[in-house]
Amino acid sequence: MTDHDALCHELVADCRLRAATDLFVHTWDPVVLAALRGGPRRRRELRDAIGGISDKVLTETVHRLRASGLVDRHAHAEAPPRVEYALTSLGQSLVEGPMTALGRWAIDHGDELLEAQESAARTPPDSPVTP
């Protein structure tokens, strides 16, 4: 165990798990990653594949994913300029590993999750929640 790992057990806010789970904090991050799973896409193709995302939010999301090393931007030397976005090997490993597992979990347990959330929404805030 490294010194950093030992510290991580004491200061959970500073550990690698938090860094990884922060990748799912922004609503559009996993959506953009999933849209790139099939291979490189131009910006418009990416936006069309996603649907419902504004240009501004797509720009912010792509910048954030590039800064995390999950997405790469490739500008082709052509006229007019052509830019494609693609998953890096790190991004591919995230999509094929944890995101695929989370997707399977959502398929298997999504109904239970939605029922629990709907039940909680119907329960007055002062009422104790019963299992």
Side-chain angles (χ1 to χ4, degrees), residues 2-70:
T2 67
D3 290 340
H4 184 270
D5 291 336
L7 183 60
C8 181
H9 290 290
E10 293 177 26
L11 302 172
V12 177
D14 201 28
C15 74
R16 290 181 177 118
L17 179 59
R18 179 172 179 210
T21 56
D22 280 352
L23 298 173
F24 296 98
V25 170
H26 299 280
T27 303
W28 292 105
D29 289 7
V31 175
V32 170
L33 291 169
L36 289 171
R37 183 178 190 177
R41 291 185 188 246
R42 295 178 74 171
R43 180 183 178 76
R44 178 155 181 106
E45 295 170 338
L46 187 56
R47 199 178 79 229
D48 290 347
I50 294 168
I53 188 170
S54 70
D55 280 328
K56 178 184 178 205
V57 172
L58 180 58
T59 298
E60 292 168 354
T61 302
V62 168
H63 284 296
R64 191 170 39 253
L65 294 172
R66 288 184 66 215
S68 294
L70 301 172

Side-chain angles (χ1 to χ4, degrees), residues 76-90:
H76 297 272
E78 299 175 354
R82 181 171 59 105
V83 174
E84 290 182 326
Y85 297 96
L87 294 174
T88 62
S89 59
L90 182 63

Side-chain angles (χ1 to χ4, degrees), residues 107-130:
I107 289 168
D108 293 344
H109 301 286
D111 291 340
E112 295 171 69
L113 178 64
L114 293 174
E115 279 179 33
Q117 291 173 343
E118 289 168 4
S119 176
R122 290 189 303 267
T123 305
D126 296 327
S127 300
V129 176
T130 57

